[in-house]
Amino acid sequence: MIPLVYHASYSRLALPSRHRFPISKYQRLFEYLCQTPFSGQFSLCSPKPANQTALASVHCPQYVAGFIHNRLAPKAMRRIGFPWSEHLLTRTLHSVAGTELAARKAFEHGIALHISGGYHHAHQDFGSGYCIFNDLVYSARRMINQGLADKVLIVDCDVHQGDGTATMTVGDANIISCSIHCRQNFPARKADSHYDIELEKGAGDDEYLSTLEQILPLLILTHRPDLILYDAGVDVHAEDELGLLQLSLEGIFRRDMSVLRHARDAAIPIACVTGGGYCKDPLQLTLRHSQLFHAAAMLYR
């Protein structure tokens, strides 16, 4: 069975009215997946919260302590985009740990899926763009430090560049970061990933998928990773509120199938996170995120 990592805290966060982050999407996606015909292919796993010591081994200890104990400056919290609360703390610690759990489960099952994660704008000593701690880099380093992997490849297909992932892996030969994103989108000032694949505003299914099919075999052949962490952000959709690309629902499904198939065919464990996606219509957003889970159910029976 395919491990499905989820915690109820992911959507238990009260946000101000008009806040644009769709915090309910995690619970909605989980409930949707429980009702699908292939729900029996998933095995539910729930993470325990990440602890301060583990987080401080990857992030700046002062930053970690500042967030956990609500001592960050108001300016720092504004940059993150969420007001501090106990619910935010609980959600954050479980979500970071959830990606680590998915990575660990991927070694056992070949694949694992996390209904959260993809907090790629979090830097070593500050958060940004709704991202507090970088679960991708954190999980990669935990797997390496615990001897489960020598090399981890992060494939980031969120529409926004993973600038935090880039700055946290600069000069690191064991964590390879690849960001496939829209050049004109956030952040305005891009960092340098190991691989930055920039698509122009308005790029659609064919251009995106052609680019992906060129880069994935190269990355796998060049680096021969022991684990792939895949950020399957759906803000690449044509009607996403914060995206500038033009992928269709079918295009997202084909993208996810491509990434998963390359990992499966190369016998590389893959842990997937849902990443970004912004839409006022909760059903449409759920359908976009669900494409990853449909793809996994088809390829990993």
Side-chain angles (χ1 to χ4, degrees), residues 169-188:
T169 58
V170 63
D172 193 329
N174 299 106
I175 304 176
I176 307 301
S177 60
C178 174
S179 179
I180 305 173
H181 55 267
C182 178
R183 183 177 67 83
Q184 292 91 344
N185 214 316
F186 179 88

Side-chain angles (χ1 to χ4, degrees), residues 21 32 54 60 82 96 114 161 183 197 199 228 251 258 268 282 290:
F21 192 86
Y32 173 84
C60 171
F82 291 131
V96 172
H114 184 201
Q161 195 219 22
R183 183 177 67 83
I197 314 301
L199 296 168
I228 294 174
S258 176
I268 300 171
S290 72

Side-chain angles (χ1 to χ4, degrees), residues 2 22 71 86 159 166 205 209 262 273:
I2 300 173
R71 294 199 297 259
E86 290 288 346
V159 78
D205 291 356
L209 294 166
H262 279 287
V273 300

Side-chain angles (χ1 to χ4, degrees), residues 93-266:
L93 297 182
H94 282 90
S95 188
V96 172
T99 300
E100 180 188 0
L101 178 58
R104 195 178 307 280
K105 290 290 184 180
F107 284 109
E108 301 173 16
H109 299 268
I111 185 173
L113 307 170
H114 184 201
I115 305 182
S116 185
Y119 299 110
H120 59 174
H121 298 310
H123 296 251
Q124 186 177 28
D125 57 355
F126 67 92
S128 175
Y130 308 137
C131 303
I132 298 163
F133 299 125
N134 194 308
D135 60 305
L136 299 167
V137 177
Y138 172 85
S139 299
R141 289 205 172 136
R142 294 277 287 176
M143 296 303 101
I144 292 170
N145 291 342
Q146 294 171 24
L148 294 174
D150 291 322
K151 185 169 290 188
V152 178
L153 170 64
I154 297 174
V155 177
D156 188 342
C157 288
D158 192 281
V159 78
H160 306 104
Q161 195 219 22
D163 55 332
T165 302
T167 61
M168 290 183 70
T169 58
V170 63
D172 193 329
N174 299 106
I175 304 176
I176 307 301
S177 60
C178 174
S179 179
I180 305 173
H181 55 267
C182 178
R183 183 177 67 83
Q184 292 91 344
N185 214 316
F186 179 88
R189 181 178 297 177
K190 307 292 191 289
D192 291 327
S193 310
H194 290 89
Y195 298 87
D196 283 302
I197 314 301
E198 296 194 318
L199 296 168
E200 297 298 314
K201 176 181 178 181
D205 291 356
D206 291 343
E207 181 180 352
Y208 192 103
L209 294 166
S210 174
T211 301
L212 186 63
E213 283 296 330
Q214 292 178 55
I215 189 66
L216 279 176
L218 174 65
L219 291 171
I220 290 172
L221 182 63
T222 301
H223 299 286
R224 301 186 183 277
D226 303 299
L227 172 69
I228 294 174
L229 297 177
Y230 173 41
D231 184 342
V234 299
D235 40 15
V236 295
H237 191 270
E239 297 179 6
D240 189 89
E241 294 172 7
L242 299 183
L244 298 175
L245 298 184
Q246 292 292 312
L247 268 69
S248 66
L249 189 66
E250 180 187 359
I252 290 175
F253 176 74
R254 291 168 59 196
R255 176 201 67 176
D256 295 341
M257 286 285 284
S258 176
V259 176
L260 298 186
R261 185 183 295 112
H262 279 287
R264 185 199 63 180
D265 291 352

